[in-house]
Amino acid sequence: GENVGLHLPTLSVQEGDNSIINCAYSNSASDYFIWYKQESGKGPQFIIDIRSNMDKRQGQRVTVLLNKTVKHLSLQIAATQPGDSAVYFCAENWRWAGGTSYGKLTFGQGTILTVHP
Amino acid sequence: DGGITQSPKYLFRKEGQNVTLSCEQNLNHDAMYWYRQDPGQGLRLIYYSQIVNDFQKGDIAEGYSVSREKKESFPLTVTSAQKNPTAFYLCASSASYSNQPQHFGDGTRLSIL
């Protein structure tokens, strides 16, 4: 399944499928990006991060892709499991163009991922 | 276990009352943060602290106050001036202020009586 943007905040997939969650970020000068997973009633949990000098980074069952040309970030989850059901947030680290990194994380709206057994 | 502890998990505020939310970390992180999360929304930054004895306003600081007297502690006070305090409050910390992942506690849910 594929989420085509923040105007579709819900993604439903079958167990075992690959999931792709997309995020459009706002600041072309942002230099650091993070994906978080948030389960109901809990705080966000760090999944994976990527710096702007990279296009791709892989973790365990997850891959983050960064396309700076179109300011787009995606999270790919391989072999999605019911335990992956949660809200997923992308966050960008704002950097003032030409200046020092500001350090503020700006969070996206989030995408609800539901995995059906 | 290293981590961030927020307490209490649930908190109720009466009209005109100030309440304080606790956040403690044993990760030896320099930077700490407070966020507010409303239903179906992302996180909004209330206050942040880059180092002990220093803190800065975030995007929605009005009606809130903080202190950072110890490295491991960053309490948030929701004052009576905050007219819409009902929300999920999240505390986070990071090793340094910039380009480092922030690690979150499990939040405090504040409601008005």
Side-chain angles (χ1 to χ4, degrees), chain A residues 55-111:
Chain A
D55 297 322
K56 178 180 179 179
R57 190 166 187 221
Q58 289 183 291
Q60 187 176 11
R61 281 202 307 120
V62 295
T63 301
V64 55
L65 299 177
L66 176 62
N67 185 332
K68 295 180 286 293
T69 303
V70 295
K71 294 190 289 185
H72 184 268
L73 195 66
S74 69
L75 177 70
Q76 300 177 2
I77 305 174
T80 316
Q81 302 166 2
D84 294 326
S85 295
V87 178
Y88 289 80
F89 291 97
C90 65
E92 61 180 300
N93 183 90
W94 277 64
R95 181 186 179 98
W96 300 120
T100 6
S101 187
Y102 176 45
K104 169 186 169 180
L105 279 186
T106 300
F107 288 80
Q109 177 186 355
T111 296

Side-chain angles (χ1 to χ4, degrees), chain B:
Chain B
D1 274 4
I4 300 174
T5 302
Q6 289 188 242
S7 63
K9 192 167 179 63
Y10 300 96
L11 187 59
F12 298 90
R13 196 191 87 170
K14 294 180 183 177
E15 197 81 29
Q17 186 183 41
N18 293 351
V19 292
T20 297
L21 284 61
S22 170
C23 178
E24 303 277 331
Q25 54 100 357
N26 60 3
L27 299 167
N28 199 32
H29 284 172
D30 282 325
M32 297 186 75
Y33 313 81
W34 273 106
Y35 292 90
R36 170 182 171 136
Q37 186 175 32
D38 292 287
Q41 297 190 29
L43 281 65
R44 291 185 289 166
L45 183 65
I46 304 173
Y47 267 98
Y48 64 96
S49 168
Q50 296 184 54
I51 200 163
V52 172
N53 293 320
D54 176 75
F55 52 84
Q56 305 293 332
K57 291 182 179 180
D59 297 323
I60 54 165
E62 186 174 350
Y64 301 97
S65 66
V66 294
S67 62
R68 185 86 188 276
E69 297 175 2
K70 297 187 293 183
K71 185 175 187 177
E72 59 270 23
S73 179
F74 191 41
L76 173 74
T77 296
V78 184
T79 74
S80 57
Q82 172 49 246
K83 298 306 178 188
N84 184 24
T86 298
F88 191 45
Y89 290 87
L90 288 157
C91 178
S93 71
S94 60
S96 62
Y97 178 55
S98 178
N99 286 10
Q100 294 288 328
Q102 294 181 18
H103 299 276
F104 287 82
D106 275 340
T108 293
R109 190 166 299 279
L110 176 62
S111 303
I112 297 181
L113 280 177

Side-chain angles (χ1 to χ4, degrees), chain A residues 26-80:
Chain A
S26 56
N27 184 0
S28 58
S30 292
D31 57 358
Y32 177 62
F33 305 86
I34 309 175
W35 278 101
Y36 286 97
K37 171 187 180 183
Q38 186 176 26
E39 296 174 280
S40 181
K42 294 191 174 181
Q45 176 187 356
F46 171 84
I47 302 172
I48 192 168
D49 57 1
I50 188 168
R51 303 191 187 278
S52 58
N53 60 352
M54 303 172 69
D55 297 322
K56 178 180 179 179
R57 190 166 187 221
Q58 289 183 291
Q60 187 176 11
R61 281 202 307 120
V62 295
T63 301
V64 55
L65 299 177
L66 176 62
N67 185 332
K68 295 180 286 293
T69 303
V70 295
K71 294 190 289 185
H72 184 268
L73 195 66
S74 69
L75 177 70
Q76 300 177 2
I77 305 174
T80 316

